[in-house]
Amino acid sequence: MAEAEESPGDPGTASSRPLFAGLSDISISQDIPVEGEITIPMKSRIREFDSSTLNESVRNTIMRDLKAVGKKFMHVLYPRKSNTLLRDWDLWGPLILCVTLALMLQRDSVDSEKDGGPQFAEVFVIVWFGAVTITLNSKLLGGNISFFQSLCVLGYCILPLTVALLICRLVLLADPGPVNFMVRLFVVIVMFAWSIVASTAFLADSQPPNRRALAVYPVFLFYFVISWMILTFTPQ
Amino acid sequence: MTTTAAPAGGARNGAGPEWGGFEENIQGGGSAVIDMENMDDTSGSSFEDMGELHQRLREEEVDADAADAAAAEEEDGEFLGMKGFKGQLSRQVADQMWQAGKRQASRAFSLYANIDILRPYFDVEPVQVRSRLLESMIPIKMVNFPQKIAGELYGPLMLVFTLVAILLHGMKTSDTIIREGTLMGTAIGTCFGYWLGVSSFIYFLAYLCNAQITMLQMLALLGYGLFGHCIVLFITYNIHLHALFYLFWLLVGGLSTLRMVAVLVSRTVGPTQRLLLCGTLAALHMLFLLYLHFAYHKVVEGILDTLEGPNIPPIQRVPRDIPAVLAAARLPTTILNATAKAVAVTLQSH
């Protein structure tokens, strides 16, 4: 090797070495890959764009989304530790549930016209801002779940409470009394527990193990508020 | 390597950077292919090319002023032999201005809207939260040197939300109808308003009285002080006894207030300042508990009456005027309305 022959101990030769003397030693090593990407200008690229889901019929799109929502409903009703809700999250289910809940919690008496509006907005705001707050809290506690995944799980786990609301409305068709109230209380408590178990089954894995209680408590408060709204609902 | 590196503002003689002009495609991407059909045929001077190159070298800086490009162009008179970019220069400059602006905006956004700013305040373990909750009820007598306040926000935030839930529970128990629309807003506004507002106010007073406390510590202190409120309200919204409430108000409310007062006293110097600060905090804290109980007291009493008396809704509702439709049934509406009102008045007098 040329460098070895030129002794570094010789001070004179280092400065008097002719320019480019070391160039003969330089070679491009073979293991540096020379590669790149030739991008074609935009105009022709647009024509190639694959509109994969844009061309299908509306019915296909709706059925596909409904099937996804239905599958997730099944996962909520029979909670097992699975990743379906987390992996392909979507917000259709939470929206449907939230709108159903809000519509049914409206009092349908003509007298309280101005209460009909705020009822709907109240439920909507509680559900969505509550879910956002819980998500932020779980992220700040060190959870590794994304924002929309958490919104998706919390929204889908409102399903048992919506079922409870339907049952309560049916029960309220009978004559009011303490038995009526006890039945409704029992149903709401069971569904409340079901919601918490379902959401914990999905969310627990994303939290550090020693802080699960800290992350579950706001979920408990959230579903408690919704359950309370359902329990104290009396159609006039 | 210094011989081949070109200085930023000077003339260029090497073969490297100016051929970079080919790198930037007309379409603004990093394509190596130049789409000839889009090239502007207006031949301009090559001064603009120099301006472009100067711009690219200054990409690390935020400055994307077009005037600088123009000034830089005039400095150089070297002919590079590339024509046809004049029409694209304005687009290139606009593109670079946009990118520089976007970079700056995303930098600012990631700096200020990052929730990681709050992350250290949520770094708690459940054991710590539980011990802090219990300690918030135990006043410490040691006031000679500053007592430690844990600067975290998880506990206080959860306590405020719990207080909101308890308030809702209390309000819903009364089954209010007319005020239904603003229940949630009222509860959230009251609790958060108290927590944030009184903390800020006491922090301001502490600043005046030269007390050693930061805003975060004040928020945490007051937040944990709400634990006593939660307990009292939870019990007394379910058991409606006046004497019980007053007992709990003095005992539990007093304990948590004493704890906060002791912490503040340990951090303040001077009797007047101590009195001012601690007196204000004690008054506000105790009065808030009183307010929370009595704001819904009347409605709660209404419930007790309805459980014992006839079946009247707790909020007196004005009876509706019977619509004129019934006039078709040949019933005078005025008489019907008067009758309905009389019935309502009779019921109300019970």
Side-chain angles (χ1 to χ4, degrees):
Chain A
M1 303 250 287
E3 292 92 68
E5 285 167 34
E6 295 164 8
S7 63
D10 194 327
T13 56
S15 52
S16 62
R17 228 186 339 149
L19 224 55
F20 309 111
L23 274 182
S24 55
D25 303 315
I26 295 174
S27 63
I28 296 179
S29 105
Q30 295 303 318
D31 53 333
I32 298 177
V34 176
E35 60 182 76
E37 204 180 352
I38 294 184
T39 58
I40 304 169
M42 286 301 293
K43 274 218 165 117
S44 45
R45 207 192 296 173
I46 291 174
R47 269 174 255 126
E48 292 174 358
F49 240 63
D50 190 19
S51 52
S52 52
T53 59
L54 213 53
N55 280 338
E56 63 180 11
S57 67
V58 174
R59 185 168 168 272
N60 277 356
T61 313
I62 292 181
M63 289 313 294
R64 192 183 58 235
D65 284 333
L66 277 181
K67 278 198 199 119
V69 169
K71 201 159 71 139
K72 294 202 184 79
F73 278 171
M74 283 299 125
H75 274 275
V76 169
L77 285 179
Y78 303 107
R80 306 176 280 272
K81 277 198 192 294
S82 83
N83 268 340
T84 314
L85 251 71
L86 291 178
R87 210 177 40 225
D88 336 297
W89 59 267
D90 74 86
L91 292 179
W92 281 117
L95 182 67
I96 294 174
L97 287 172
C98 181
V99 170
T100 315
L101 206 65
L103 281 177
M104 289 204 296
L105 277 177
Q106 269 189 324
R107 293 174 193 268
D108 44 18
S109 57
V110 182
D111 233 351
S112 46
E113 262 174 346
K114 62 174 179 153
D115 296 330
Q119 280 276 1
F120 184 92
E122 193 183 322
V123 175
F124 223 82
V125 163
I126 290 174
V127 169
W128 288 104
F129 277 96
V132 165
T133 309
I134 295 174
T135 309
L136 283 179
N137 176 63
S138 74
K139 283 186 82 86
L140 284 169
L141 281 175
N144 57 355
I145 194 173
S146 99
F147 185 72
F148 286 110
Q149 281 173 340
S150 173
L151 277 188
C152 168
V153 168
L154 288 168
Y156 270 103
C157 291
I158 297 180
L159 177 66
L161 288 172
T162 313
V163 170
L165 179 59
L166 287 168
I167 298 179
C168 281
R169 277 211 93 146
L170 290 174
V171 168
L172 279 169
L173 290 176
D175 50 335
V179 177
N180 199 305
F181 180 72
M182 293 309 291
V183 168
R184 282 189 293 137
L185 181 67
F186 176 71
V187 167
V188 168
I189 288 182
V190 165
M191 292 303 181
F192 167 63
W194 198 336
S195 284
I196 295 198
V197 165
S199 61
T200 314
F202 293 117
L203 287 179
D205 287 335
S206 64
Q207 291 292 327
N210 50 340
R211 291 189 188 176
R212 288 222 178 112
L214 296 184
V216 167
Y217 179 68
V219 177
F220 169 85
L221 275 182
F222 176 62
Y223 289 130
F224 175 79
V225 168
I226 298 183
S227 315
W228 194 251
M229 283 198 298
I230 292 174
L231 186 60
T232 58
F233 169 72
T234 48
Q236 295 295 328
Chain B
M1 300 311 274
T2 50
T3 50
T4 52
R12 227 168 299 270
N13 54 5
E18 64 262 28
W19 293 108
F22 281 125
E23 288 169 10
E24 282 202 297
N25 194 10
I26 317 289
Q27 281 79 12
S31 160
V33 176
I34 300 178
D35 198 355
M36 292 301 288
E37 61 185 78
N38 275 341
M39 264 176 62
D40 205 338
D41 275 335
T42 62
S43 67
S45 98
S46 50
F47 294 174
E48 287 87 2
D49 310 328
M50 292 313 299
E52 213 176 285
L53 301 169
H54 286 300
Q55 280 280 7
R56 206 175 312 109
L57 276 178
R58 261 176 295 178
E59 227 174 304
E60 290 314 305
E61 298 168 14
V62 181
D63 178 30
D65 198 6
D68 284 339
E73 288 159 25
E74 286 153 21
E75 287 169 18
D76 286 295
E78 194 158 324
F79 174 70
L80 290 177
M82 289 195 303
K83 297 197 195 285
F85 281 108
K86 179 187 179 183
Q88 308 304 319
L89 177 67
S90 59
R91 213 189 300 177
Q92 293 284 0
V93 167
D95 182 42
Q96 280 164 352
M97 278 176 71
W98 159 253
Q99 279 179 5
K102 191 169 105 167
R103 238 179 290 127
Q104 196 182 19
S106 66
R107 238 183 278 158
F109 179 76
S110 66
L111 186 62
Y112 292 114
N114 201 359
I115 62 163
D116 283 335
I117 295 176
L118 293 175
R119 208 178 273 272
Y121 307 137
F122 280 76
D123 192 15
V124 289
E125 305 292 320
V127 186
Q128 285 177 321
V129 175
R130 191 177 35 194
S131 64
R132 281 170 198 166
L133 282 176
L134 292 175
E135 278 168 11
S136 75
M137 303 299 296
I138 305 173
I140 302 183
K141 281 220 191 106
M142 207 160 25
V143 295
N144 293 326
F145 63 91
Q147 294 182 21
K148 189 174 170 305
I149 307 176
E152 58 135 334
L153 285 180
Y154 174 81
L157 207 61
M158 287 306 127
L159 279 170
V160 174
F161 279 125
T162 311
L163 192 62
V164 169
I166 294 178
L167 268 187
L168 271 183
H169 159 66
M171 288 200 258
K172 284 276 186 182
T173 315
S174 61
D175 198 25
T176 59
I177 299 171
I178 294 178
R179 289 191 288 153
E180 189 68 55
T182 58
L183 269 186
M184 195 68 197
T186 312
I188 290 188
T190 310
C191 297
F192 270 97
Y194 175 76
W195 183 47
L196 296 172
V198 172
S199 291
S200 317
F201 179 61
I202 301 287
Y203 176 66
F204 166 67
L205 278 185
Y207 171 75
L208 289 181
C209 299
N210 221 3
Q212 309 275 338
I213 194 165
T214 67
M215 183 67 189
L216 172 72
Q217 287 172 332
M218 193 59 226
L219 281 171
L221 190 66
L222 195 65
Y224 275 112
L226 287 176
F227 180 55
H229 283 26
C230 287
I231 295 178
V232 174
L233 289 175
F234 184 67
I235 296 176
T236 57
Y237 276 156
N238 291 315
I239 308 174
H240 310 289
L241 288 173
H242 266 302
L244 186 69
F245 168 70
Y246 282 122
L247 184 69
F248 270 112
W249 177 62
L250 279 176
L251 216 61
V252 180
L255 272 179
S256 74
T257 312
L258 271 177
R259 152 101 188 158
M260 292 199 299
V261 159
V263 170
L264 276 182
V265 161
S266 75
R267 286 168 171 258
T268 318
V269 177
T272 321
Q273 289 90 330
R274 282 178 172 180
L275 191 64
L276 175 68
L277 201 55
C278 302
T280 317
L281 180 61
L284 285 172
H285 204 63
M286 300 294 276
L287 286 176
F288 183 58
L289 184 53
L290 219 56
Y291 164 73
L292 282 182
H293 179 83
F294 284 109
Y296 314 106
H297 189 244
K298 267 194 186 160
V299 201
V300 168
E301 270 188 343
I303 275 288
L304 289 178
D305 285 343
T306 61
L307 287 177
E308 296 149 12
N311 222 1
I312 315 169
I315 300 291
Q316 299 306 326
R317 299 168 70 175
V318 177
R320 262 171 60 199
D321 281 340
I322 297 165
V325 167
L326 283 179
R330 277 186 241 126
L331 295 167
T333 57
T334 45
I335 297 183
L336 273 176
N337 285 339
T339 319
K341 284 199 175 81
V343 167
V345 165
T346 324
L347 283 176
Q348 277 179 20
S349 63
H350 276 24

